[in-house]
Amino acid sequence: MSPSQWTVLLVGLMVIVCQLSFGQRVIENKQRTFEIDFDNNTFLKDGEPFQYVAGSFHYFRALPQSWSRILRLMRAAGLNAITTYVEWSLHNPKEGVYNWQGIADIEQFIQLAQEEDLLVILRPGPYICAERDMGGFPYWLLHKNPGIQLRTGDVAYLHEVRTWYAELFSRLEPYLYGNGGPIIMVQVENEYGSFFACDHKYMEWLRDETERYVRGHAVLFTNNGPGLTVCGGVEGTLSTLDFGPGTTEEINGYWDDLRKHQPKGPLVNAEYYPGWLTHWQEQEMARVPIDPITTSLREMLADKVNVNIYMFYGGTNFGFTAGANEMGPGLYTPDITSYDYDAPLDEAGDPTPKYAAIKQVISEFFPIPDVPVPTPECKISIPWVTLDPIDSVLNRHVLRAIATPKITNATPLSFEALNQYSGLVLYEAPLPKNLNTDPMKLTVEKLHDKGYVFVDSLFIGTLSRQNSINSLPVPLGIGEMLQIIVENEGRINFGTPNDFKGILGNVFINTHVIRNWTMTGIPLDNIGKISSFIHNKLQENGRHPMKQLKLLRGLPIQRGPTLFHGTFNLSRTELCDTYLNPTGWGKGVAFVNGFNLGRYWPLVGPQITLYVPRHVLKENTNEIILVEFQMVKKPFATVQFDSFPTFH
């Protein structure tokens, strides 16, 4: 044969091989189907009737080093599926910037679930609630387009969702069940029936946008509370409900109401609550007794209801990720850092008595796999770690090191206008002159969320959105420069979607509107800069932390939020889970080895300790930094690490 004939023959053979390979994949994929048998009110997995019992585990609430262990414990309890939200803000923290590494490596998470023989139910939102900052929406949407109408047919919003879904599903399409992966169901929106807009056109658009990628390789579904299917459901998807334990009559009533809108199809409780969420300033952690949980679960499984236990593992709202809810005196109540949720697996991923009880119920309906059950992680306590007070963030050299450049404006600007995610913003403006009332009355309109008020760096008082306190007296003649440090305590996750932060209205001294503001961002997400500043300060002054403790018991941090620094040593055998206990401190943010553990607020509780995963710790020297906003109610600045969590 001539070279050209050999080439033609070779190409032909390659085409035949590719066709055979493609044909084999088609056959394999045809054998992998997950669909609905409406006539028999069941799912069909590969053509066979299928019922699932699943548990919620949000990958972004645990470090990836612990994912396998938690997934194994879930499978060992008899679960055959797991459910997870996808957090848009985690993966897309800035416009055009995407993160798929570390705690954001959702592909690894799905692969690990499949290795544990767990199917996956995906809830991509784009709104997820989940007690997360802004319900999972990235804050920069409000910076880019302050008038954007989230969760509606607003063209600007739809454009951002389409861009995000193209990035997300380009990675997740291969993991759909029909494509050989473990994802059997994909949610459209989330509890939309509870949202005021009730925009059916938007729901239809989002259904179609989702189906562009799913293409029948998984089941589309919506999820709503009982009685909310009319606005929350959309044709072409399976309507599911969410509710906690109840009487047989109550639960049957929920299903009867659903059948008015969806006469046929499998019944699904997509969020069955074994616990509940908790907010700062509540009296105690939310707890749900075991017996009602197991009773309702047993009845639902016996009735062939598909159940997802929310949460099976709750985890932690590390960093600034905790959200808030519209409730309380100021229609604002922030969520605590812990998302323990009184779940079957506690915040450290260890089984609780609730785990054993639920496993027993599941074993009555599903085979319990013969897999090794991981033992609880080791725990460690450290009785005494001394911290050195470094400096106030109001000091100019501190601001130069850790803050963003100043911005001036006639009126105050929001965090979002300043393109800042969280942390603090310092608002400064000159006080009016020629006033003769003593004290003067300071009033701040629409303060979101907490304001620490100073005059010439002298502390005056605190304002609070949560407690509906927006004014306080200011002594006449105390100084010339008004300073308000505003703290973002978490954007609302359920209710108002556009929860801007900062000072959103006018500021008054008596009836005088204060103008000509200077704003300085202190985002507190640049821990590298903060740590470098602290180390330089210690080195310059030749200070040892133990020599500089001159705090007086009970006095607030009079000169502004203050940086504290300390170190502690661990051997290799001491690298275990632990809990930072800041009892005696006021409120602030804690970092260990540069990792943001989240907000602490032992003054009000009910959460006292912060969970410290062992993977954050290291052999030899470990560094702890606190940014304390309020006070240290002890003669020396010390913290301890406990081997157990403490809640009121």
Side-chain angles (χ1 to χ4, degrees):
M1 291 186 181
S2 66
S4 60
Q5 289 174 318
W6 276 110
T7 301
V8 171
L9 178 60
L10 181 59
V11 170
L13 288 172
M14 291 175 61
V15 169
I16 292 171
V17 169
C18 289
Q19 288 175 338
L20 289 173
S21 174
F22 177 76
Q24 182 63 33
R25 289 200 302 271
V26 168
I27 292 172
E28 290 172 354
N29 287 341
K30 282 184 178 179
Q31 293 172 347
R32 289 181 59 87
T33 58
F34 193 83
E35 53 197 354
I36 298 173
D37 181 351
F38 283 98
D39 291 334
N40 293 298
N41 299 325
T42 188
F43 291 110
L44 293 178
K45 179 173 172 284
D46 301 331
E48 298 294 329
F50 178 78
Q51 179 187 14
Y52 68 76
V53 57
S56 286
F57 170 17
H58 304 151
Y59 58 95
F60 43 79
R61 284 189 160 115
L63 296 187
Q65 296 94 322
S66 64
W67 288 347
S68 291
R69 177 176 172 274
I70 296 168
L71 290 167
R72 172 63 59 84
L73 282 163
M74 295 176 76
R75 184 69 184 108
L79 302 181
N80 55 11
I82 59 111
T83 298
T84 188
Y85 282 123
V86 179
E87 188 171 47
W88 184 357
S89 58
L90 170 68
H91 298 287
N92 190 191
K94 300 282 186 181
E95 184 181 8
V97 175
Y98 295 94
N99 175 25
W100 305 102
Q101 303 299 317
I103 205 169
D105 192 349
I106 187 173
E107 290 186 73
Q108 182 193 12
F109 179 77
I110 293 173
Q111 291 166 6
L112 291 172
Q114 190 169 25
E115 290 174 8
E116 295 296 337
D117 196 26
L118 288 162
L119 298 167
V120 175
I121 298 167
L122 192 73
R123 307 179 74 180
Y127 162 79
I128 63 172
C129 182
E131 287 68 62
R132 299 288 279 192
D133 186 85
M134 206 165 146
F137 284 127
Y139 85 93
W140 58 261
L141 293 175
L142 304 183
H143 169 75
K144 181 179 180 180
N145 187 344
I148 193 170
Q149 299 299 304
L150 303 174
R151 307 183 73 188
T152 73
D154 177 10
V155 173
Y157 169 65
L158 299 185
H159 169 76
E160 300 298 346
V161 173
R162 173 162 284 178
T163 302
W164 159 234
Y165 268 26
E167 291 286 339
L168 174 66
F169 281 104
S170 67
R171 293 175 175 272
L172 298 191
E173 255 188 290
Y175 300 100
L176 297 171
Y177 189 80
N179 292 332
I183 299 174
I184 57 172
M185 299 177 70
V186 179
Q187 186 176 4
V188 177
E189 247 281 348
N190 182 55
E191 295 180 324
Y192 194 69
S194 302
F195 190 55
F196 72 90
C198 195
D199 188 337
H200 293 290
K201 294 293 185 182
Y202 160 60
M203 286 294 288
E204 291 169 358
W205 179 90
L206 187 59
R207 172 203 61 200
D208 295 343
E209 188 68 14
T210 308
E211 181 58 22
R212 284 180 61 198
Y213 302 99
V214 175
R215 293 182 293 178
H217 295 313
V219 168
L220 299 186
F221 74 102
T222 57
N223 178 49
N224 295 279
L228 299 173
T229 302
V230 173
C231 284
V234 61
E235 186 178 354
T237 67
L238 178 71
S239 290
T240 71
L241 299 182
D242 55 38
F243 54 83
T247 66
T248 302
E249 292 73 19
E250 288 172 334
I251 293 176
N252 286 340
Y254 300 153
W255 299 131
D256 290 343
D257 181 73
L258 176 66
R259 285 304 189 204
K260 296 175 184 177
H261 308 283
Q262 185 172 272
K264 295 185 177 181
L267 296 178
V268 177
N269 186 339
E271 289 188 9
Y272 178 57
Y273 305 116
W276 197 242
L277 59 105
T278 305
H279 304 94
W280 293 114
Q281 297 194 38
E282 291 180 341
Q283 291 299 309
E284 58 185 4
M285 291 287 288
R287 301 295 183 193
V288 178
I290 293 175
D291 286 348
I293 297 168
T294 54
T295 298
S296 294
L297 178 61
R298 181 177 285 109
E299 291 179 357
M300 285 190 291
L301 293 181
D303 290 337
K304 298 299 181 182
V305 175
N306 300 270
V307 179
N308 172 62
I309 298 169
Y310 185 105
M311 299 293 296
F312 202 89
Y313 167 75
T316 310
N317 294 309
F318 293 119
F320 298 113
T321 59
N325 284 292
E326 284 185 298
M327 55 187 292
L331 293 179
Y332 177 84
T333 303
D335 305 316
I336 63 173
T337 299
S338 172
Y339 204 61
D340 177 85
Y341 214 84
D342 197 24
L345 295 174
D346 67 17
E347 190 172 2
D350 294 332
T352 68
K354 194 172 287 184
Y355 175 93
I358 289 175
K359 179 177 180 178
Q360 173 57 41
V361 174
I362 293 173
S363 71
E364 299 168 15
F365 302 91
F366 295 86
I368 301 298
D370 184 16
V371 297
V373 179
T375 57
E377 294 283 9
C378 62
K379 306 294 187 294
I380 190 175
S381 62
I382 306 170
W384 186 277
V385 178
T386 303
L387 304 184
D388 184 25
I390 301 299
D391 221 329
S392 165
V393 300
L394 283 178
N395 286 348
R396 297 304 171 186
H397 59 283
V398 179
L399 290 176
R400 282 196 300 270
I402 71 171
T404 59
K406 295 180 179 180
I407 293 178
T408 59
N409 198 61
T411 56
L413 297 174
S414 69
F415 277 55
E416 291 72 24
L418 298 171
N419 201 16
Q420 182 168 320
Y421 164 49
S422 197
L424 310 168
V425 169
L426 169 62
Y427 294 82
E428 297 178 289
L431 286 168
K433 300 184 183 299
N434 303 320
L435 296 179
N436 58 1
T437 58
D438 189 11
M440 304 175 288
K441 181 182 179 181
L442 170 71
T443 303
V444 181
E445 293 181 330
K446 297 182 180 179
L447 175 76
H448 290 189
D449 299 305
K450 194 162 189 173
Y452 304 92
V453 181
F454 301 80
V455 174
D456 290 352
S457 298
L458 179 64
F459 180 67
I460 303 297
T462 305
L463 305 173
S464 170
R465 178 187 185 187
Q466 181 176 6
N467 298 322
S468 195
I469 299 172
N470 69 340
S471 64
L472 54 76
V474 176
L476 183 66
I478 195 171
E480 299 181 350
M481 182 64 66
L482 174 66
Q483 300 162 304
I484 306 176
I485 296 179
V486 178
E487 176 194 357
N488 172 2
E489 294 183 298
R491 295 178 180 83
I492 288 175
N493 53 256
F494 187 85
T496 301
N498 296 38
D499 187 22
F500 291 85
K501 296 300 178 184
I503 298 176
L504 309 181
N506 285 320
V507 178
F508 298 87
I509 287 289
N510 297 338
T511 59
H512 297 262
V513 177
I514 298 180
R515 300 196 180 277
N516 301 320
W517 289 88
T518 298
M519 285 139 289
T520 307
I522 312 169
L524 300 181
D525 58 1
N526 50 352
I527 185 60
K529 289 185 178 181
I530 295 173
S531 182
S532 294
F533 169 78
I534 290 173
H535 291 161
N536 290 337
K537 177 100 174 181
L538 291 172
Q539 186 174 12
E540 288 170 5
N541 295 345
R543 298 197 296 183
H544 188 281
M546 294 294 290
K547 298 178 181 178
Q548 296 298 318
L549 300 174
K550 299 179 180 178
L551 298 175
L552 298 178
R553 180 186 295 272
L555 286 181
I557 305 299
Q558 293 283 358
R559 294 290 175 177
T562 300
L563 305 177
F564 287 82
H565 173 269
T567 60
F568 57 96
N569 292 323
L570 294 174
S571 66
R572 180 170 299 182
T573 58
E574 293 176 309
L575 298 181
C576 300
D577 287 349
T578 187
Y579 299 85
L580 171 66
N581 189 336
T583 297
W585 296 70
K587 182 187 186 187
V589 183
F591 302 84
V592 171
N593 293 330
F595 183 82
N596 190 336
L597 299 176
R599 303 177 177 99
Y600 65 87
W601 199 359
L603 273 178
V604 300
Q607 178 178 359
I608 304 300
T609 54
L610 290 179
Y611 173 55
V612 185
R614 65 184 180 89
H615 307 102
V616 168
L617 304 174
K618 58 186 180 180
E619 189 177 357
N620 297 322
T621 303
N622 293 264
E623 178 182 66
I624 178 171
I625 294 173
L626 299 188
V627 186
E628 171 58 48
F629 299 159
Q630 294 186 186
M631 65 181 64
V632 184
K633 295 180 65 176
K634 50 177 59 180
F636 298 101
T638 62
V639 296
Q640 66 189 54
F641 290 87
D642 297 337
S643 59
F644 53 87
T646 301
F647 303 100
H648 285 330

